[in-house]
Amino acid sequence: MTLIKSISGIRGTIGGNVGDNLTPIDAVKFASAYGTFLKKSLNKEHLKVVIGRDARISGPMIHQLVMQTLVGLGIDIIDLGLSTTPTVEVAVPLEKADGGIILTASHNPKQWNALKLLNNKGEFLSGAEGAEILKIAESDAFDFANVDDLGKITEINDYMDRHIDEVLNLKLVDVEAVKQQKFKVVVDGVNSSGGIVIPALLRKMGVEVIELYCEPNGHFPHNPEPLKEHLSDICSLVVKEKADFGIVVDPDVDRLAFISNDGEMFGEEYTLVAVADYVLSKTLGNTVSNMSSSRALKDVTEKHGGMYEASAVGEVNVVELMKKNNAIIGGEGNGGIIYPEIHYGRDALVGVALFLTHLAEQKNDVASLRASYPQYFMSKNKIELTPEINVDAILDEMQKLYSNERITTIDGVKIDLADGWIHLRKSNTEPIIRIYTEAGTQQQADDLAKKVLEEINEIAN
């Protein structure tokens, strides 16, 4: 059982001991710290916070604890109920709120939950702001409201529909062009809120929808991270239904993966590549992704005359560099699309709408579209952390081992090779070391990963 406190929020497994897991007391404590932070930093008499959750089994419990804690601090709540991470991000500025909280552990299994914290722009807090909240939580420096000054809760139950409308109103989303193609799409909503919002978006775009695991009951039918090894059911169903492609989202709908018409993975790395290719074909501009993302985005960006740059891993880091470079699209190779025309947050709805428009214009099947892009292949591995593993020492030794290659250390260790790359870093969300490799073929990427794993094991032992 695990509790991870970081600058990006608090994430843990439900149950167990206080301070070791995400218990009700930990949820209340961290919500109190966030509310106290807002009161101190904004210095306003009346504050308002937007709250939504994914469909996890623990969601209703954590939801009530967090809301009522903020009410106890005198903060008003806009309660979106069952929602998505990007929907809450869109709602915060639309509601002129002072912050937002999404209750989701994203791609983690069902025993996990988390509080993900937003500022008044609907964007994730900075590292310094997150550190201040951790400090407040440790000090128990909370000042709750008197009975006459308690906050109130206002429910708004249609924000996913409002979010869909915001997406469909984007200039580069052509609903009529998509309707003319009469697409047929299979959707795996992993029994969370994506099972509601993605089919609803598709139907508004005239797409025939085949639903798979779209009941938002929180019982994930497979590991919710949208990776190939978890998605055999939808891959088979796309072929059986003779669908144009398949769509997979994670429980909070900020990651997006496609299945090609032949039942093969489009590759979540290529979600951003394909959407960026479409956006850049319409608007000259720059792109950003993180250091663990495919080189293919750099190739596509330069093809259209733009500039590409990589940030440290983490949405807040990608957004910061996007703003600095005036990037018109960016995101992460885990299937996260950030399109500033709507908001600075990963948004699967935006990705779906832009991809459909791109596909409608191409008048090509999805497998052929995937084959048209630069061919890179990734291997994503991880090592479970134990108390005996010294991550810093391992990374230092790996730097020495590859000292003749180009090395970047802004986020773990990135080793650029002539025909590929290696990225080693400690996860912000799980007790693991992530090991990503990329090369010109899957075999080369897998072999490179195997070599790195052997080297790390030798160092650790």
Side-chain angles (χ1 to χ4, degrees):
M1 306 295 272
T2 306
L3 183 68
I4 300 174
K5 301 174 185 178
S6 73
I7 58 174
S8 59
I10 185 169
R11 180 181 299 233
T13 48
I14 298 298
N17 298 319
V18 175
D20 292 335
N21 311 284
L22 185 54
T23 68
I25 290 174
D26 292 292
V28 168
K29 184 176 182 179
F30 206 75
S32 299
Y34 174 67
T36 300
F37 165 79
L38 289 182
K39 291 170 74 173
K40 284 183 175 180
S41 60
L42 297 176
N43 195 26
K44 288 175 62 177
E45 188 173 345
H46 298 292
L47 294 176
K48 181 166 58 175
V49 170
V50 176
I51 297 182
R53 64 174 178 87
D54 70 12
R56 288 171 189 275
I57 298 166
S58 62
M61 176 189 73
I62 299 294
H63 194 161
Q64 288 298 324
L65 288 166
V66 170
M67 282 200 306
Q68 298 299 346
T69 298
L70 294 181
V71 166
L73 284 164
I75 297 173
D76 291 338
I77 303 300
I78 302 294
D79 177 17
L80 305 190
L82 190 63
S83 191
T84 77
T85 288
T87 302
V88 177
E89 292 170 338
V90 166
V92 169
L94 289 178
E95 293 298 316
K96 297 180 173 58
D98 300 292
I101 302 178
I102 306 104
L103 305 170
T104 175
S106 192
H107 62 273
N108 290 73
K110 69 177 183 179
Q111 65 265 34
W112 289 76
N113 213 325
L115 283 68
K116 295 166 72 172
L117 310 175
L118 306 176
N119 62 20
N120 59 2
K121 296 178 182 177
E123 300 169 14
F124 286 110
L125 300 180
S126 69
E129 291 167 331
E132 176 63 20
I133 290 171
L134 290 177
K135 185 177 176 182
I136 294 169
E138 289 305 312
S139 68
D140 288 337
F142 314 132
D143 183 15
F144 290 97
N146 296 321
V147 67
D148 292 327
D149 299 320
L150 296 174
K152 63 179 185 297
I153 297 173
T154 302
E155 293 184 6
I156 303 180
N157 297 315
D158 67 344
Y159 241 102
M160 287 195 285
D161 292 328
R162 299 188 197 188
H163 184 185
I164 290 171
D165 291 340
E166 292 286 321
V167 170
L168 297 182
N169 285 332
L170 291 168
K171 289 181 181 178
L172 293 189
V173 173
D174 191 335
V175 176
E176 291 308 312
V178 172
K179 284 182 176 179
Q180 290 174 15
Q181 297 303 309
K182 301 186 184 305
F183 290 123
K184 182 179 183 180
V185 175
V186 180
V187 176
D188 179 350
V190 72
N191 285 344
S192 191
S193 46
I196 299 173
V197 71
I198 298 298
L201 169 68
L202 291 173
R203 290 183 177 113
K204 281 199 170 186
M205 299 185 77
V207 175
E208 180 185 349
V209 180
I210 306 296
E211 295 186 5
L212 175 69
Y213 308 135
C214 286
E215 184 181 353
N217 57 26
H219 292 281
F220 304 149
H222 54 75
N223 185 308
E225 189 164 13
L227 303 178
K228 180 179 181 178
E229 56 266 30
H230 308 147
L231 302 177
S232 57
D233 289 354
I234 187 172
C235 290
S236 300
L237 192 56
V238 166
V239 174
K240 179 182 177 182
E241 293 287 344
K242 297 180 180 177
D244 292 286
F245 64 103
I247 292 173
V248 184
V249 292
D250 64 340
D252 68 325
V253 202
D254 64 356
R255 289 176 61 174
L256 172 65
F258 298 122
I259 312 299
S260 296
N261 52 293
D262 57 3
E264 295 297 319
M265 292 292 296
F266 190 82
E268 64 172 353
E269 288 293 327
Y270 281 79
T271 301
L272 176 57
V273 173
V275 174
D277 183 35
Y278 170 64
V279 171
L280 291 166
S281 73
K282 304 296 183 182
T283 313
L284 179 64
N286 303 324
T287 66
V288 169
S289 65
N290 68 37
M291 297 180 69
S292 288
S293 300
S294 175
R295 281 182 179 174
L297 180 61
K298 179 177 185 290
D299 294 349
V300 166
T301 304
E302 291 176 349
K303 178 189 77 172
H304 289 289
M307 181 191 78
Y308 166 82
E309 190 173 354
S311 76
V313 173
E315 185 171 324
V316 67
N317 298 315
V318 175
V319 167
E320 182 181 353
L321 190 56
M322 286 181 69
K323 290 178 178 179
K324 179 183 175 184
N325 291 358
N326 294 314
I328 61 171
I329 190 166
E332 298 181 289
N334 59 13
I337 304 291
I338 301 174
Y339 188 49
E341 284 294 313
I342 184 167
H343 67 113
Y344 275 106
R346 296 182 305 182
D347 192 329
L349 281 74
V350 170
V352 167
L354 291 173
F355 182 81
L356 279 166
T357 305
H358 185 34
L359 194 62
E361 285 197 1
Q362 291 284 311
K363 292 183 171 60
N364 213 339
D365 64 46
V366 173
S368 299
L369 178 64
R370 172 64 176 83
S372 72
Y373 293 122
Q375 298 300 298
Y376 296 105
F377 297 84
M378 292 186 73
S379 182
K380 299 182 179 183
N381 297 274
K382 57 190 177 184
I383 295 176
E384 300 286 340
L385 290 180
T386 63
E388 306 85 56
I389 295 178
N390 186 330
V391 177
D392 292 335
I394 289 173
L395 297 183
D396 287 343
E397 289 299 318
M398 291 298 290
Q399 284 188 65
K400 293 174 185 175
L401 193 61
Y402 288 89
S403 58
N404 292 329
E405 308 293 347
R406 185 161 68 90
I407 292 177
T408 308
T409 57
I410 63 170
D411 183 10
V413 175
K414 174 79 175 282
I415 303 164
D416 275 292
L417 310 170
D419 54 356
W421 54 259
I422 304 161
H423 191 197
L424 313 171
R425 60 181 294 274
K426 186 176 179 180
S427 172
N428 293 327
T429 59
E430 298 177 75
I432 59 175
I433 299 175
R434 295 194 183 277
I435 303 166
Y436 288 1
T437 58
E438 183 173 72
T441 69
Q442 190 62 58
Q443 188 63 52
Q444 289 171 338
D446 291 342
D447 288 346
L448 184 57
K450 182 180 178 183
K451 177 173 177 282
V452 170
L453 283 165
E454 290 172 352
E455 290 165 347
I456 290 175
N457 285 329
E458 189 171 325
I459 292 168
N461 298 320

